[in-house]
Amino acid sequence: MNSFKYASQGFNYLIRNEQNFLFHLIVGMIVLIMGLILNLSLVKMSILLCVIGIMLSIEALNTGIERVVDLVTEEEHPIAKVAKDVSAAAVFLFAIISVIIGFLLFFEPITRLLQS
């Protein structure tokens, strides 16, 4: 039960304090709703859920890394900067991949909708 409690506290922290996490969460919900409206297959919806889950998880890990670095040093340090920049790059890279995957999943249904 404690694990669930700590995870819930972490999730609440992310929602209340991390603008980027909240952005990804809202966009993820919009994408899922669009998937339902466009009647995406079960496989495509599963892929969307995985991509959204990974994106949110990477954003959460990025926040954790940033907070640990802040805890270790308050002054600007080149290695601390690299740690923060690399974890931010991981989020950015997967965000690009997520957009590409979303395009691939939604292209056909949107094209079909526009042609009808």
Side-chain angles (χ1 to χ4, degrees):
M1 285 307 282
N2 280 339
S3 295
F4 181 74
K5 180 179 93 173
Y6 298 141
S8 297
Q9 290 171 347
F11 189 73
N12 285 333
Y13 175 86
L14 289 166
I15 289 174
R16 292 185 178 152
N17 298 292
E18 293 300 317
Q19 182 178 346
N20 290 337
F21 183 86
L22 187 58
F23 171 78
H24 290 296
L25 184 62
I26 291 169
V27 169
M29 285 193 267
I30 292 169
V31 167
L32 285 175
I33 291 168
M34 286 177 50
L36 292 171
I37 290 169
L38 291 171
N39 200 28
L40 292 185
S41 70
L42 187 60
V43 171
K44 287 185 176 186
M45 288 299 288
S46 297
I47 292 169
L48 279 180
L49 281 170
C50 286
V51 169
I52 292 165
I54 293 168
M55 185 75 246
L56 292 172
S57 297
I58 292 173
E59 187 65 58
L61 289 170
N62 177 49
T63 298
I65 290 168
E66 288 179 349
R67 295 305 163 269
V68 168
V69 169
D70 291 343
L71 179 66
V72 172
T73 179
E74 289 183 11
E75 58 190 59
E76 289 188 29
H77 190 282
I79 296 174
K81 181 181 180 344
V82 169
K84 286 183 169 189
D85 290 352
V86 169
S87 65
V91 174
F92 180 69
L93 288 171
F94 196 75
I96 292 170
I97 296 298
S98 296
V99 169
I100 294 168
I101 292 170
F103 177 79
L104 293 171
L105 294 174
F106 281 99
F107 181 76
E108 182 185 343
I110 289 175
T111 302
R112 219 178 324 124
L113 181 69
L114 294 175
Q115 290 177 348
S116 58

